[in-house]
Amino acid sequence: MVRLPAQARPLFPYLKPAYTTMTRLVAPVTVQLSRWRGGYLPRTAVDTMEQAAARGGRISTVRPAEVVRRTPPADSPTPHPTFAANLAEAIPRVAIAELPNGRVLGPEGAVITGDGAIVQELSFYFGTTRPREHPLFWHPFPGPPRHVPGRLGVLASRGDRNYYHFLIDVMPRLAIAEQGGEIAPPDRWYVPAKPGFQRELLGLAGLTEDQWIDSTANPHVQADVLVVPGLPSNIVRNPPWVVGFLRRRLMPQPIARVPGRGVYITRGDAPNNRRVVNEASVVAALRALGFSTADPATMTVREQIECFASASVIVAPHGAALANLVFTSPGAAVVELFPAGYAKPDYWKLANGVPGLAYHYLLGTGPVTARQLAGFVVADIEVDVAVLVDVVGGILDQQRDG
């Protein structure tokens, strides 16, 4: 996610590392300043949930470490290096921790033990490698925490204002808590619950308003006991069991795929945001193949689920809407569009866990402007329309023959 104005986004590859470095440098100062008013910033750090639990809490492993093996993208005997490097991936154990007097601080959901240590495994922020690079260290005087009696479960985490991260990172924490073993379930959940996709997803998962505390309205809380499920899909690992949980929980009744139904997913026309710059030509060419266009920004979650589940072919630029691939039906296919020269494996990993979904990708044309992740997220896409039509036509032919 990039929160810069559209015209400033090309500066992101330079501003992000500078911001991270400055955060690390300013953190010792703000920690000292914080002691003048509450001392709420974390004074120290631990790396793992085990280390956090050793400070007076408990931990239970819910899922052991595993190795996920994936198939290459369709029609790619020599896949892009980003896919080849992730054909096998070690995924660490997933655990749940119980932290007496634990706190959650800030809009990015930093978890802090009762004695003031930030837990890096549960709190690390995008593009950072050290605890004191977390953005919360820019704010030395947070307000006092709201005290929450009893057991408070933590769903909130960094990026939870983004559809992908909320669906894929946040919602599966429910599964971890439900399999918590010796760790008893929480009384209530701490989760962003603004009107919109967050509340709708919580409702589809069976949670009601009396079961949550809105983290947006309460950015600093301290509970008698903080119950913290690990982040099962963090760093875009996207293990297959996450897909299975979301399908069972959010789409209990299967939705039939409509043979030949093609959908193009737009990201809109905001520049420097992985928009498709020749989208009018793309839409016209796909319309000739029977495609319609969908804009997830104008749709409810239920409408997005139905759109993806009923589609036979989905074409979309890389973006959060592709999290909905978890709902696609057997026999469907997706073509993910990337900027020139750069591919990212997030949704290919996700697709590998979806039964019967064929994954294809297409790199954009033109000069290569995205040579690293920070440049990729602000790069726009120019599609070779003729190549796209060939790829989609081949998929449709194969589906008809199959």
Side-chain angles (χ1 to χ4, degrees), residues 64-70 87-92 240:
E66 60 181 320
V67 175
V68 172
R69 303 190 185 280
R70 306 183 177 99
L87 292 173
E89 184 175 23
I91 298 181

Side-chain angles (χ1 to χ4, degrees), residues 82-154:
T82 194
F83 303 114
N86 287 277
L87 292 173
E89 184 175 23
I91 298 181
R93 63 93 185 96
V94 184
I96 183 169
E98 190 178 75
L99 305 177
N101 298 312
R103 291 187 289 132
V104 187
L105 174 59
E108 309 303 341
V111 175
I112 302 169
T113 62
D115 60 353
I118 187 172
V119 186
Q120 175 71 349
E121 180 182 346
L122 298 168
S123 309
F124 76 93
Y125 190 68
F126 302 106
T128 69
T129 57
R130 308 177 194 182
R132 286 197 170 181
E133 293 173 345
H134 195 286
L136 69 84
F137 289 103
W138 282 102
H139 307 284
F141 305 124
R146 171 183 170 180
H147 176 254
V148 180
R151 302 172 62 80
L152 181 65
V154 179

Side-chain angles (χ1 to χ4, degrees), residues 74-247:
D75 305 324
S76 298
T78 306
H80 189 279
T82 194
F83 303 114
N86 287 277
L87 292 173
E89 184 175 23
I91 298 181
R93 63 93 185 96
V94 184
I96 183 169
E98 190 178 75
L99 305 177
N101 298 312
R103 291 187 289 132
V104 187
L105 174 59
E108 309 303 341
V111 175
I112 302 169
T113 62
D115 60 353
I118 187 172
V119 186
Q120 175 71 349
E121 180 182 346
L122 298 168
S123 309
F124 76 93
Y125 190 68
F126 302 106
T128 69
T129 57
R130 308 177 194 182
R132 286 197 170 181
E133 293 173 345
H134 195 286
L136 69 84
F137 289 103
W138 282 102
H139 307 284
F141 305 124
R146 171 183 170 180
H147 176 254
V148 180
R151 302 172 62 80
L152 181 65
V154 179
L155 296 182
S157 71
R158 92 286 182 269
D160 57 20
R161 287 158 286 183
N162 172 275
Y163 186 81
Y164 166 83
H165 289 292
F166 193 89
L167 179 62
I168 305 299
D169 293 350
V170 170
M171 297 299 291
R173 301 180 90 174
L174 290 169
I176 298 302
E178 290 166 0
Q179 304 169 46
E182 63 186 35
I183 305 293
D187 304 317
R188 286 185 290 177
W189 291 103
Y190 182 68
V191 61
K194 295 193 302 183
F197 72 81
Q198 294 158 326
R199 284 197 175 215
E200 191 176 353
L201 282 167
L202 293 172
L204 290 172
L207 297 185
T208 57
E209 193 164 346
D210 63 327
Q211 293 177 281
W212 69 60
I213 292 175
D214 184 2
S215 63
T216 307
N218 300 273
H220 190 190
V221 294
Q222 184 168 31
D224 291 341
V225 178
L226 209 61
V227 180
V228 194
L231 292 158
S233 189
N234 220 351
I235 324 181
V236 293
R237 294 187 178 104
N238 296 340
W241 76 262
V242 165
V243 173
F245 168 74
L246 293 172
R247 290 173 71 91

Side-chain angles (χ1 to χ4, degrees), residues 22 45 60 93 96 98-99 123 168 185 199 229 233 245 248 254 261 274 292 318 320 329 338 356 368 375 382:
M22 288 300 298
S60 176
R93 63 93 185 96
I96 183 169
E98 190 178 75
L99 305 177
S123 309
I168 305 299
R199 284 197 175 215
S233 189
F245 168 74
R248 291 189 303 271
R261 182 173 187 266
R274 278 167 282 121
S292 60
H318 178 92
S329 300
F338 291 108
V368 177
E382 183 172 359

